Amino acid sequence: MTTGGIGESPLRPDGGLKVRGQYAYSSDLWLENMLWGATLRSPHPSARILSVDTSAALAMPGVHTVLTYKDVPGENVYGLKLQDTPVLAEEVVRYQGEPVALVAAEHPETARRAVKAIKVEYEVFEPVLDPELVAHSPDAPQVHPGGNLVRHQRILKGDPDATADVVVSGVYEIGMQDQAFLGPESGLAVPDGDGGGVHLYLATQWLHVDQRQTAKALGLPVEKVKLTMSGVGGAFGGREDLSIQVHACMLALRTGRPVKMSYNRQESFFGHVHRHPAKMYYEHGATAEGDLVYVRARLYFDGGAYASKTPVVVGNGTTLGVGPYNVPNARIEAWGVYTNNPPCGAMRGLGAVQPTYAYESQMDKLAAALGMDPADLRIRNAMSEGSTTVTGQVVDFPAPVAELIQRVKDMPLPEPSGSDILQLPGGAANTTHGEGVVRGVGYGVTIKNISYAEGLDDYSTARVRLEVVDGEPVATVHTAAAEVGQGLITVQQQIARTELGVQQVVLHPCDTDIGDAGSSSASRQTYITGGAVRNACRAVRAKLQELAGSEDVPDIAAVLGDEVIEETREYHHRKTYPLDPETGQGNAHVQYGFSAHRAVVDVDTELGLVKVVQLDCAQDVGKAINPDAVVGQIHGGSAQGLGLAVMEEIQVAEGRIRNPSFTDYLIPTILDMPPMTVDVVERPDPHAPYGVRGVGEPPTISATPAIANAIRAATGLELPRVPIRPEYIIDLTDGGS
Amino acid sequence: MRVNVTVNGVERQADDVWPGESLLYVLRERLGLPGAKNACEQGECGSCTVYLDDVPVCSCLVAAGQAEGREVRTVEGLADGEQLHPVQQAFVDRGAVQCGFCTPGLIVAAHDLIERTAEPTDAEIREALAGNLCRCTGYEKILDAVRQAAAKKAGVA
């Protein structure tokens, strides 16, 4: 009998190495004769490059090469959705931080100094900054040839102009959040010598998309560009776009030496995309009894200088734009645009974080207008199995939204705050002994699509090998799916143990020698790569049964002997379809995840300080393959949602990032995180392997509005913008309205 | 310059150290000890925490020259051979590790806490670990791990 299969919580196989400091992250890699790479970046949000003089940098002792766009061997353009991003800027720079030139040197400090010695002459332009203005001004200066609109999508359902007894409206804004993974962008590129190819060791979310883009930029066939996963220090969407990949390979191929690149924290803030800031206009109409009649919304997403995942943000933002509620009539419209602000792309909760904040704010406003309890209003309108979404898609799997809300509502509330200053807003800073402190309770509920959407076939591949080693059967699982901390490696082992009845499951290094696994994003890997591992295991199992001549194989080692069984299988999720360009109708999504949060806050109304006292969550995960890891995802996701509610924002002024450091970009510490009660609900999805439902994103999304609504309940303020700053609460600015 | 430093009980020597290099850089790039992590280089995240003469420091903020003749203990020096230190074991057991990048710094900080404080309260644990950022776990399971390690040390678990 095997242990550590599906439904148990075996320990992570990499835990021992990680606690010893021996797990090799991409920034830990080292080779005897390696050089260090560094990047020169644009200081301007918008400018023309008049000249680049690399001679002084090249003349510095210890500098091996300096490269510009002229040295890009292949196509100097890449992109996840649109091919619009140069590897190195040619004629113009479109954001502050855009890569312009590269250096390889003996010592990282030498490389940094050489970067400073490169002389670039710019003609500086007025940056394009306002996404809403851009969306409706075809004559605005063009960030890219062809215009500033990346995607516009409209969704119409029922009578979009319906009227209702009770109407509430609001304009909501969300600041630019950063993934703030702790492990910096880094990697080591090793030229393969006479073959003309390169082997890149790196931290990424999707090896094959990096491989394809890198090979194209290097002008090499994909088989000449091998990628191997190193330890990934968190991702959260921020490693979907290229960072060091092409740059490190260019430097390695030019110098013939291994080249390591590792951003420092400041460069990391410029070196990856962020969460789209948004401005959202919402109007909700309901009957006097509290039934939603219509939702009308306009959403503006600032994509910044390059498209990255902006088209997907518009797709998710509209299709999920009314939340997990039954809405008979709707007009939802979104614009994703180019500006000269920092580029925005994937972050956990992609395209759903912004509208959820807005529609959940609206639900509280509607409850107040109706004189109803906010949780009861949500339960009354909650979507369920059989509901039809605004795109006309029928939800043909469990959708226990009302149950999730009821579950968090029924959890015990914390005691009133006492006089212990450590428990009050401001904490050890000793800013209050309780005077001016008020408490509030708020709810947030979300719906998030799981896996890629709108017709994409984001499949995964797994190879499973079964053999006898030292008298024991051993299974080896090989996929290219990125372990980014979420515990996918543990899940793969669990599936193989359950499917094969083999205790020892070894994970082959993750690399491009196996077929595509798709990205570790969209909460999709347990579902999709889990499905591929299941399929490969079942193929191996069938061969084993054939060998044994029976269904039952009690002694695998005896049956197998010296035989080795190896099978490779893919998993493809069920088909989805593009949205109709005019009406936005279509079965766009594979599956939805749902979560509900209840937040309890204390607010010091004199200083505007907030203490989140308790944050509880109920989430439907379909089937918990590893219950402990599921809870860990909910904890961590909730923390990122808390960050967005009260502290996390990349502050951008005139296209420039003002706070690119952990001193000035705040993420929650252990003092900021309250105790959490987590209720994991399992309502299996009959369409998914084992009934699983994606877990990672929903808790990030619903935590933010729960906290914002709790602060509003405490203060009575409208607070239409997150993160909620102290000055909004004490009303020094119009952020508090 | 040359830096002489005792690391995890072994006398080590690093040559050709540029005076601007941090203790973190020398440990990671010159002495083959990448356990301490570089995540912010300004003492905000705690990922590079090591003991310097028994006091936890952010090694990114210590110039390599300041470590001359002193003793450093890193995360690599906490286990007893194959046997993990109880703090390390607790982090594994309680699911306090996800991506693990913050883990080495947290292990050293938690190790220091339970060496100093027999049975820390939750408030004391939070205060002691307030200088260590974690982006994955939401800290709940880190609290669980430190409680387990402290209980084990106190002989009640």
Side-chain angles (χ1 to χ4, degrees):
Chain A
M1 188 62 195
T2 54
T3 60
I6 288 172
E8 300 175 51
S9 293
L11 301 179
R12 302 180 63 96
D14 58 8
L17 286 174
K18 284 179 172 175
V19 298
R20 287 172 181 272
Q22 292 173 344
Y23 185 77
Y25 294 89
S26 54
S27 54
D28 297 336
L29 305 175
W30 192 89
L31 277 175
E32 185 63 52
N33 60 339
M34 75 182 191
L35 300 172
W36 289 80
T39 313
L40 173 69
R41 293 174 183 277
S42 164
H44 306 295
S46 178
R48 181 179 306 285
I49 298 173
L50 301 176
S51 67
V52 180
D53 180 359
T54 61
S55 56
L58 270 169
M60 290 172 66
V63 172
H64 283 247
T65 193
V66 181
L67 305 178
T68 68
Y69 76 91
K70 293 175 183 162
D71 303 296
V72 176
E75 290 182 46
N76 186 24
V77 66
Y78 68 89
L80 288 172
K81 294 286 166 188
L82 305 179
Q83 302 292 300
D84 66 354
T85 314
V87 173
L88 292 169
E90 295 191 12
E91 290 176 8
V92 297
V93 287
R94 298 185 173 90
Y95 72 97
Q96 181 206 23
E98 178 157 359
V100 174
L102 305 168
V103 169
E106 306 267 348
H107 190 285
E109 181 62 18
T110 310
R112 279 193 285 268
R113 289 181 184 197
V115 159
K116 286 191 179 142
I118 299 171
K119 294 190 190 73
V120 184
E121 228 184 326
Y122 293 99
E123 179 190 356
V124 177
F125 300 136
E126 195 70 27
V128 176
L129 299 174
D130 183 341
E132 187 179 357
L133 198 66
V134 160
H136 300 299
S137 310
D139 299 332
Q142 296 195 346
V143 178
H144 290 264
N148 294 331
L149 183 63
V150 179
R151 182 177 178 185
H152 168 252
Q153 182 68 52
R154 180 188 299 120
I155 292 180
L156 303 174
K157 184 187 183 189
D159 174 10
D161 299 313
T163 56
D165 303 337
V166 181
V167 174
V168 293
S169 61
V171 185
Y172 303 94
E173 283 187 56
I174 195 159
M176 186 184 289
Q177 190 180 19
D178 191 73
Q179 298 84 355
F181 43 70
L182 285 196
E185 293 88 343
S186 45
L188 178 67
V190 185
D192 72 3
D194 44 356
V198 64
H199 191 161
L200 178 63
Y201 300 82
L202 80 168
T204 181
Q205 291 176 236
W206 186 359
L207 283 172
H208 284 79
V209 80
D210 286 8
Q211 182 192 36
R212 290 192 285 271
Q213 294 180 96
T214 303
K216 197 173 82 144
L218 294 174
L220 291 172
V222 286
E223 58 272 16
K224 290 278 188 190
V225 181
K226 178 173 173 174
L227 272 66
T228 298
M229 193 73 75
S230 298
V232 181
F236 317 116
R239 297 188 206 270
E240 285 195 24
D241 293 81
L242 296 183
S243 57
I244 58 93
Q245 285 84 337
V246 182
H247 296 168
C249 291
M250 280 173 62
L251 292 168
L253 289 167
R254 177 61 68 95
T255 60
R257 299 260 296 261
V259 173
K260 174 171 172 171
M261 295 188 86
S262 186
Y263 294 171
N264 64 18
R265 182 54 51 185
Q266 179 176 327
E267 186 170 20
S268 179
F269 274 100
F270 294 103
H272 63 253
V273 299
H274 316 290
R275 187 190 300 291
H276 289 68
K279 187 171 185 186
M280 300 167 285
Y281 296 78
Y282 266 79
E283 182 178 303
H284 280 59
T287 64
E289 293 74 38
D291 293 320
L292 285 172
V293 175
Y294 71 85
V295 176
R296 289 194 276 271
R298 285 179 292 133
L299 302 91
Y300 297 94
F301 294 106
D302 186 352
Y306 293 100
S308 182
K309 292 303 251 322
T310 297
V312 186
V313 167
V314 170
N316 291 357
T318 47
T319 57
L320 308 172
V322 304
Y325 302 112
N326 291 313
V327 177
N329 306 295
R331 181 193 294 124
I332 313 293
E333 203 164 1
W335 291 261
V337 297
Y338 287 127
T339 65
N340 293 116
N341 286 316
C344 290
M347 185 176 172
R348 195 176 192 173
L350 183 75
V353 163
Q354 297 91 339
T356 302
Y357 167 65
Y359 64 67
E360 285 299 273
S361 301
Q362 283 283 99
M363 291 303 276
D364 264 30
K365 204 179 263 189
L366 184 60
L370 289 160
M372 281 181 74
D373 177 87
D376 291 345
L377 175 68
R378 287 173 169 86
I379 289 169
R380 184 182 182 97
N381 289 283
M383 160 190 288
S384 56
E385 186 166 2
S387 291
T388 304
T389 70
V390 284
T391 73
Q393 183 164 3
V394 176
V395 180
D396 57 351
F397 43 80
V401 178
E403 180 187 350
L404 297 176
I405 301 165
Q406 192 65 50
R407 280 173 179 258
V408 286
K409 192 184 179 190
D410 291 344
M411 288 178 189
L413 283 162
E415 296 293 313
S417 51
S419 55
D420 178 3
I421 58 159
L422 290 179
Q423 304 303 323
L424 287 165
N430 195 14
T431 50
T432 179
H433 290 265
E435 68 281 4
V437 174
V438 290
R439 175 157 290 188
V441 177
Y443 294 88
V445 190
T446 196
I447 175 173
K448 175 67 181 56
N449 64 303
I450 307 301
S451 209
Y452 284 20
E454 299 184 59
L456 292 177
D457 176 21
D458 49 318
Y459 68 98
S460 183
T461 316
R463 181 179 299 143
V464 173
R465 179 185 169 93
L466 183 63
E467 63 200 314
V468 178
V469 178
D470 294 334
E472 293 292 323
V474 176
T476 303
V477 178
H478 188 184
T479 75
E483 167 59 54
V484 296
Q486 80 280 45
L488 183 65
I489 48 174
T490 323
V491 164
Q492 293 183 57
Q493 287 183 319
Q494 291 178 257
I495 291 171
R497 287 191 193 111
T498 293
E499 291 292 340
L500 296 171
V502 167
Q503 188 62 43
Q504 289 190 57
V505 179
V506 177
L507 294 158
H508 188 283
C510 181
D511 57 28
T512 49
D513 287 347
I514 176 90
D516 204 336
S519 183
S520 287
S521 39
S523 308
R524 62 179 285 284
Q525 285 292 24
T526 295
Y527 188 140
I528 310 294
T529 291
V533 172
R534 181 198 66 176
N535 289 356
C537 284
R538 288 186 178 172
V540 167
R541 179 89 187 153
K543 282 274 170 67
L544 183 68
Q545 287 166 333
E546 207 176 293
L547 209 58
S550 76
E551 290 253 318
D552 198 27
V553 189
D555 188 345
I556 294 171
V559 169
L560 211 51
D562 292 334
E563 293 277 337
V564 175
I565 303 175
E566 186 175 283
E567 293 293 332
T568 304
R569 289 292 184 278
E570 292 174 354
Y571 180 85
H572 297 253
H573 61 65
R574 60 183 178 152
K575 195 166 161 50
T576 63
Y577 299 86
L579 297 174
D580 181 278
E582 291 305 315
T583 65
Q585 293 297 299
N587 288 355
H589 294 307
V590 176
Q591 185 193 53
Y592 301 115
F594 306 98
S595 63
H597 274 89
R598 184 190 65 190
V600 181
V601 301
D602 282 340
V603 182
D604 182 337
T605 52
E606 293 169 3
L607 294 172
L609 299 176
V610 175
K611 165 87 178 175
V612 182
V613 176
Q614 190 165 306
L615 186 60
D616 300 318
C617 182
Q619 182 173 347
D620 177 16
V621 304
K623 163 71 184 171
I625 301 289
N626 184 318
D628 281 0
V630 163
V631 171
Q633 284 297 299
I634 295 172
H635 287 153
S638 301
Q640 292 181 1
L642 180 148
L644 178 59
V646 294
M647 66 182 80
E648 290 190 32
E649 182 177 6
I650 295 185
Q651 297 182 29
V652 181
E654 297 302 308
R656 294 169 196 278
I657 297 179
R658 297 173 62 205
N659 55 341
S661 75
F662 279 163
T663 306
D664 298 313
Y665 183 90
L666 303 181
I667 66 174
T669 71
I670 197 169
L671 286 171
D672 299 308
M673 275 309 291
M676 286 192 69
T677 303
V678 173
D679 195 349
V680 175
V681 176
E682 297 180 81
R683 303 281 176 267
D685 178 348
H687 309 288
Y690 310 112
V692 298
R693 196 189 293 277
V695 171
E697 291 172 289
T700 304
I701 307 168
S702 49
T704 304
I707 293 165
N709 282 333
I711 298 171
R712 290 171 179 137
T715 61
L717 295 168
E718 188 173 4
L719 300 170
R721 187 181 192 282
V722 283
I724 295 168
R725 301 178 187 175
E727 59 263 37
Y728 300 170
I729 293 170
I730 55 175
D731 213 13
L732 290 179
T733 70
D734 60 3
S737 292
Chain B
M1 66 184 192
R2 170 174 290 179
V3 174
N4 298 282
V5 56
T6 302
V7 185
N8 298 330
V10 181
E11 289 183 20
R12 303 289 300 269
Q13 198 167 73
D15 275 326
D16 303 323
V17 175
W18 170 63
E21 286 177 18
S22 64
L23 172 59
L24 177 64
Y25 184 88
V26 167
L27 289 170
R28 289 176 54 80
E29 307 297 338
R30 297 192 181 277
L31 299 178
L33 292 166
K37 295 287 173 264
N38 181 353
C40 80
E41 270 187 316
Q42 55 181 187
E44 291 290 347
C45 74
S47 304
C48 64
T49 306
V50 302
Y51 283 110
L52 180 62
D53 289 342
D54 296 327
V55 177
V57 295
C58 287
S59 60
C60 72
L61 295 184
V62 176
Q66 288 177 280
E68 173 67 29
R70 298 171 73 177
E71 295 211 15
V72 171
R73 193 175 180 197
T74 72
V75 69
E76 289 102 331
L78 296 183
D80 182 9
E82 288 301 298
Q83 186 72 36
L84 293 178
H85 186 276
V87 170
Q88 293 172 312
Q89 190 61 53
F91 268 64
V92 175
D93 291 346
R94 304 311 295 255
V97 178
Q98 286 189 30
C99 94
F101 206 83
C102 68
T103 303
L106 273 159
I107 296 273
V108 174
H111 182 273
D112 175 62
L113 169 67
I114 67 167
E115 288 298 317
R116 285 186 289 108
T117 310
E119 288 176 73
T121 62
D122 280 4
E124 287 171 324
I125 297 172
R126 288 183 189 272
E127 192 61 37
L129 303 184
N132 292 79
L133 297 177
C134 170
R135 192 56 160 165
C136 297
T137 66
Y139 304 102
E140 282 274 290
K141 288 172 182 286
I142 290 172
L143 277 161
D144 286 346
V146 178
R147 290 183 198 120
Q148 174 184 311
K152 175 142 192 180
K153 187 164 164 55
V156 296

